[in-house]
Amino acid sequence: NTKKNYSVNEKGEQVMTVSMLWDYLNEINSIDEDVDVDIIEVMNKLRGNEVCHGFGPAYPVELVNGIIRECLN
């Protein structure tokens, strides 16, 4: 989503905080009734891939989007 203001970690990757991720997943589900992202599955696949963005855990945006694509297929 191009409207999001992502944080950037020390590697220069765009990352999203856990709360931003939660909002993002719920937004995807609400946009299209035919799309149903299994939030629990996504979170389980993300587990252990947390990175620090300076203020706590976050997830690389590229990784999040890749896992969402996997869960939709």
Side-chain angles (χ1 to χ4, degrees), residues 1 4 16-31 39 43 68:
N1 187 345
K4 301 281 185 218
M16 63 175 70
T17 63
V18 176
S19 61
M20 182 184 275
L21 172 60
W22 183 258
D23 291 343
Y24 184 63
L25 293 172
N26 282 296
E27 184 178 314
I28 290 170
N29 281 340
S30 69
I31 289 174
I39 293 173
M43 295 305 293
I68 290 170

Side-chain angles (χ1 to χ4, degrees), residues 3-6 9 11 16 28-29 41 45 57 65 70-72:
K3 294 185 245 176
K4 301 281 185 218
N5 291 321
Y6 300 113
N9 68 6
K11 294 179 183 179
M16 63 175 70
I28 290 170
N29 281 340
E41 181 182 4
K45 289 184 177 206
N65 288 330
E70 283 177 23
C71 292
L72 290 175

Side-chain angles (χ1 to χ4, degrees), residues 40-49 63 67 70-71:
I40 301 299
E41 181 182 4
V42 171
M43 295 305 293
N44 283 333
K45 289 184 177 206
L46 284 171
R47 184 176 287 136
N49 290 295
L63 175 64
I67 289 175
E70 283 177 23
C71 292

